[in-house]
Amino acid sequence: MKPPPSPTALSRSAHVGPLDWRKLLEWMLADGVITDAEARRTMARCSQAESVQHPLVRLASVGVQRAGDNRPMDVEALTQWLAGHVGMDYLRIDPLKVDVGRVSDTMSAAYAERHRVLPVQVTAQEVVVATSEPFITDWVAEVERQSRRSVRLVLSNPGEIQRYTAEFFALARSVRAVQKAGANNGAGSFEQLVELGRSNRQLDANDQGVVQVVDWLWSYAFDQRASDIHLEPRREQGVIRFRIDGVLHPVYQVPIGVLNAMTSRIKLLGRMDVMEKRRPQDGRIKTRRPQGGAGRSDEVEMRLSTLPTAFGEKMVMRIFDPDTTVKDLSDLGFSAHDAERWESLVKRPYGIVLVTGPTGSGKTTTLYSTLRRVATEAVNVSTVEDPIEMIEPAFNQTQVQPQLDFGFAEGLRALMRQDPDIIMVGEIRDLETAEMAIQAALTGHLVFSTLHTNDAPSAITRLQELGVPSYLINATVLGVLAQRLVRTLCVNCKEADEGNDGTLTAEAIKPWKLSGGYRPYRPVGCVDCRMTGFLGRMGLYELLVISESFKQQVTAGAGLEALRRQAVTDGMRPLRLAGSLRVAEGVTTLDEVLSNTPPLD
């Protein structure tokens, strides 16, 4: 006796051709996804007017509610359900994992749009094609014949298929246009076009391809929450990478000529010398997001930096989003304990407040966010930076220019004659700058600056190593904030780590002990976090407030270990302890904390 056919087999055999929203409602009711009452309500709403929307989009637009929790199902949730119902793999299209050049060669844009499909992966044996119509497969045989590969179908959001079909094929066309221009004009063709533009003559039409590729690159980076864009020339080709949540991701590979044209285009927009490729250059661009969300600034600043390499000119664009720099202390990751102590420091009328940590640890974000909070109409906030990270209207910002013998010390000396109340020095690198900062603090100014040290107490020994006398340190330094950035767990997919009873965490923070609840989670991975298990970053902080007891240790010439012990006695929580508290709260993982914080001695 044959077993009864599975529901998947029944649905496949019972339906051919395009999907219909009525049939989808029947299947959802049969699967128990919706109730009878919800099916009737949705049927009435969808029947009110005809629509050309895809059935999944149509059901989502009327707010069909899931049985059990009565939560509306969006297009993504409906697509996931349908994939399971018809026995297909579900795929949320991740542009970072699509080789646009290869997939665009599989079929034409017109063919993809006509059949509402999108190739997303090409291997030696198969082509993976995303579709939102699982029962329309009459085109498969033709694609297999033309590509000489088998076709594997996956089910994806119809809106994403439509969006990325337009983006991927437009990008591929732009890259081909640039390549064609390079073939026709020879080496240096883009620079020739730039010169034509400077002389107000008509640019070659192929230049539009470069414009489109660069615009796509920026839009793509903003959409993916990238903090840095890397354009890297290699021996065979150019590589584009994005840094997202502190990790670099390969995005796209382009011919080296296309990468050079993109670099030249960006240099032109950043008012850099397009023809100079033998020495490093810095520049700045202010652009806009394609769509500014509600309550969000649509302006984005980028700092540009070029560097000559063995295979050409490398460019890095650091993205400064105004919405990420002005944050509350809780948004930055400050605990209530440290937030209160930090607030008391930055409200002092004079003295020096230092922020320490390695490059990329979030020092700039902390300083800018803090300065924005204290910068009022009654206060003159002036900065000396190298370079100016982000233009801030509330500050008077100055950039050092070493080629003109205008460094931090000279900038501070000039600022002292500008009637400042609060001064921010980008970094204390030498004794001269340290002495000028101390002089500013002694004459009644509040000075913020940074140092590159592993922890907060090390900042005191670093000043001593520079040659600053202990009595001047005690007279001026109010406190030191050390910080690190760690990735935070994705709230959509993290799972309780049942196997972690806190033993490893307890070992990592000895002789400290955790009190209170311990709720560790582990990363899982989902489409929202690109299967990494992490989404976003937060700060870990170690705040040293200089007390009278600490000053006595400095005066006595105590070593670093003695200074650390005194700082802990005065209420400082070490970075690793701060991270372990976040592990206990289920915000991050122990591995993240251990890899980003110095050990407890």
Side-chain angles (χ1 to χ4, degrees):
M1 181 176 178
K2 288 184 177 181
S6 66
T8 297
L10 283 174
S11 16
R12 281 188 177 279
S13 60
H15 190 89
V16 293
L19 292 172
D20 179 76
W21 62 268
R22 297 175 182 83
K23 181 61 69 175
L24 291 179
L25 280 179
E26 290 180 21
W27 294 344
M28 294 175 73
L29 187 59
D31 289 350
V33 177
I34 59 175
T35 62
D36 288 334
E38 181 61 19
R40 289 193 296 271
R41 186 189 72 86
T42 304
M43 181 76 73
R45 286 192 173 188
C46 288
S47 300
Q48 290 178 358
E50 290 300 321
S51 173
V52 296
Q53 291 177 312
H54 188 281
L56 292 174
V57 177
R58 189 169 188 181
L59 290 176
S61 66
V62 299
V64 59
Q65 297 179 357
R66 192 196 316 267
D69 57 11
N70 292 327
R71 296 181 62 181
M73 298 180 69
D74 59 14
V75 179
E76 212 65 55
L78 288 168
T79 307
Q80 286 182 281
W81 159 78
L82 180 60
H85 182 84
V86 302
M88 290 178 63
D89 291 331
Y90 162 79
L91 175 71
R92 183 167 182 178
I93 301 172
D94 184 352
L96 293 178
K97 297 178 180 177
V98 177
D99 187 338
V100 177
R102 294 197 69 184
V103 301
S104 63
D105 289 336
T106 306
M107 62 182 69
S108 68
Y111 191 90
E113 291 171 354
R114 182 164 70 250
H115 295 286
R116 298 183 179 180
V117 297
L118 177 64
V120 291
Q121 185 180 2
V122 181
T123 67
Q125 291 78 31
E126 70 174 6
V127 180
V128 181
V129 181
T131 181
S132 58
E133 291 286 354
F135 303 109
I136 300 179
T137 58
D138 53 349
W139 52 271
V140 170
E142 183 178 358
V143 173
E144 288 182 332
R145 184 173 63 254
Q146 293 289 338
S147 65
R148 297 181 181 178
R149 296 175 175 88
S150 62
V151 170
R152 177 164 66 89
L153 295 179
V154 294
L155 201 67
S156 295
N157 183 326
E160 287 194 348
I161 291 177
Q162 182 179 11
R163 171 191 172 185
Y164 289 123
T165 297
E167 288 189 9
F168 290 171
F169 284 97
L171 174 63
R173 283 195 299 269
S174 298
V175 170
R176 293 192 189 102
V178 179
Q179 286 181 278
K180 183 178 180 182
N184 291 339
N185 297 316
S189 61
F190 185 76
E191 284 79 358
Q192 294 167 12
L193 294 177
V194 170
E195 292 303 320
L196 287 174
R198 286 176 174 171
S199 60
N200 296 322
R201 292 169 58 188
Q202 183 65 37
L203 284 173
D204 189 288
N206 287 321
D207 184 46
Q208 187 62 28
V210 182
V211 174
Q212 291 172 348
V213 173
V214 171
D215 287 347
W216 167 85
L217 178 69
W218 289 342
S219 175
Y220 197 9
F222 303 153
D223 188 49
Q224 301 299 318
R225 303 180 300 105
S227 61
D228 299 85
I229 305 171
H230 290 240
L231 305 185
E232 304 175 352
R234 305 287 173 84
R235 184 185 297 275
E236 302 294 336
Q237 59 193 358
V239 176
I240 299 174
R241 296 195 290 175
F242 290 168
R243 187 176 295 279
I244 303 172
D245 295 336
V247 179
L248 277 172
H249 297 266
V251 175
Y252 196 35
Q253 296 178 350
V254 297
I256 194 67
V258 175
L259 189 81
N260 290 338
M262 294 172 65
T263 301
S264 296
R265 166 76 181 170
I266 296 167
K267 287 172 66 177
L268 177 64
L269 295 175
R271 298 179 181 178
M272 302 160 72
D273 188 345
V274 177
M275 304 305 296
E276 178 58 73
K277 300 178 183 294
R278 299 167 299 173
R279 61 180 177 87
Q281 295 188 65
D282 294 316
R284 185 178 299 277
I285 291 177
K286 178 176 284 189
T287 184
R288 293 181 178 273
R289 294 190 189 93
Q291 294 178 339
R296 288 172 58 90
S297 168
D298 59 356
E299 284 192 348
V300 179
E301 276 196 39
M302 289 183 288
R303 194 184 75 199
L304 313 179
S305 174
T306 63
L307 182 71
T309 68
F311 301 111
E313 196 171 27
K314 179 180 183 292
M315 171 171 279
V316 174
M317 289 166 273
R318 172 154 290 187
I319 301 171
F320 294 100
D321 187 338
D323 296 318
T324 65
T325 56
V326 185
K327 293 183 176 182
D328 291 329
L329 296 184
S330 58
D331 294 331
L332 290 172
F334 275 85
S335 64
H337 170 76
D338 286 335
E340 182 179 349
R341 299 166 77 226
W342 180 250
E343 287 278 16
S344 67
L345 276 184
V346 302
K347 290 179 180 177
R348 302 279 285 273
Y350 56 85
I352 297 176
V353 178
L354 298 173
V355 180
T356 76
T359 301
S361 60
K363 300 188 297 296
T364 298
T365 300
T366 300
L367 282 173
Y368 271 62
S369 299
T370 300
L371 290 175
R372 272 297 299 267
R373 293 161 63 87
V374 299
T376 65
E377 291 294 332
V379 174
N380 176 14
V381 178
S382 301
T383 73
V384 184
E385 304 174 62
D386 182 25
I388 295 174
E389 300 282 10
M390 181 178 169
I391 302 298
E392 174 51 59
F395 310 159
N396 299 294
Q397 295 170 283
T398 303
Q399 180 164 323
V400 303
Q401 301 182 59
Q403 68 274 17
L404 301 179
D405 294 326
F406 183 74
F408 283 121
E410 291 78 15
L412 257 174
R413 190 175 291 109
L415 279 186
M416 292 287 288
R417 297 190 289 270
Q418 290 288 312
D419 187 30
D421 296 294
I422 299 174
I423 299 172
M424 195 268 277
V425 185
E427 183 183 351
I428 294 177
R429 298 173 179 171
D430 50 41
L431 177 59
E432 187 181 9
T433 305
E435 289 176 339
M436 287 304 306
I438 288 171
Q439 186 63 33
L442 289 174
T443 53
H445 304 91
L446 183 60
V447 180
F448 291 87
S449 191
T450 68
L451 283 172
H452 289 288
T453 61
N454 284 331
D455 59 10
S458 298
I460 304 301
T461 58
R462 176 64 55 81
L463 290 175
Q464 291 173 331
E465 291 167 358
L466 288 176
V468 180
S470 297
Y471 73 91
L472 287 179
I473 295 175
N474 287 341
T476 56
V477 179
L478 303 175
V480 185
L481 180 74
Q483 67 179 81
R484 297 291 190 279
L485 289 177
V486 294
R487 293 183 294 171
T488 53
L489 288 163
C490 175
V491 296
N492 298 314
C493 66
K494 68 178 183 179
E495 290 183 354
D497 192 354
E498 304 296 345
N500 184 354
D501 59 0
T503 303
L504 291 176
T505 304
E507 288 293 324
I509 63 171
K510 280 185 176 180
W512 295 80
K513 292 183 180 180
L514 290 175
S515 60
Y518 187 75
R519 300 180 300 278
Y521 283 79
R522 63 181 183 86
V524 176
C526 65
V527 293
D528 291 316
C529 61
R530 300 185 186 85
M531 305 309 295
T532 63
F534 297 93
L535 188 62
R537 290 190 292 175
M538 70 177 302
L540 301 179
Y541 299 95
E542 173 183 281
L543 180 57
L544 162 63
V545 178
I546 306 298
S547 66
E548 290 302 322
S549 299
F550 192 90
K551 290 180 180 179
Q552 292 173 9
Q553 293 283 354
V554 174
T555 301
L560 182 57
E561 293 307 317
L563 293 179
R564 284 175 178 158
R565 287 194 297 270
Q566 184 61 54
V568 169
T569 302
D570 294 339
M572 183 188 81
R573 290 179 177 174
L575 283 166
R576 183 154 292 184
L577 177 62
S580 298
L581 292 172
R582 297 303 187 182
V583 175
E585 295 169 359
V587 178
T588 187
T589 66
L590 183 60
D591 287 341
E592 274 291 300
V593 173
L594 294 180
S595 62
N596 288 283
T597 59
L600 293 171
D601 296 326

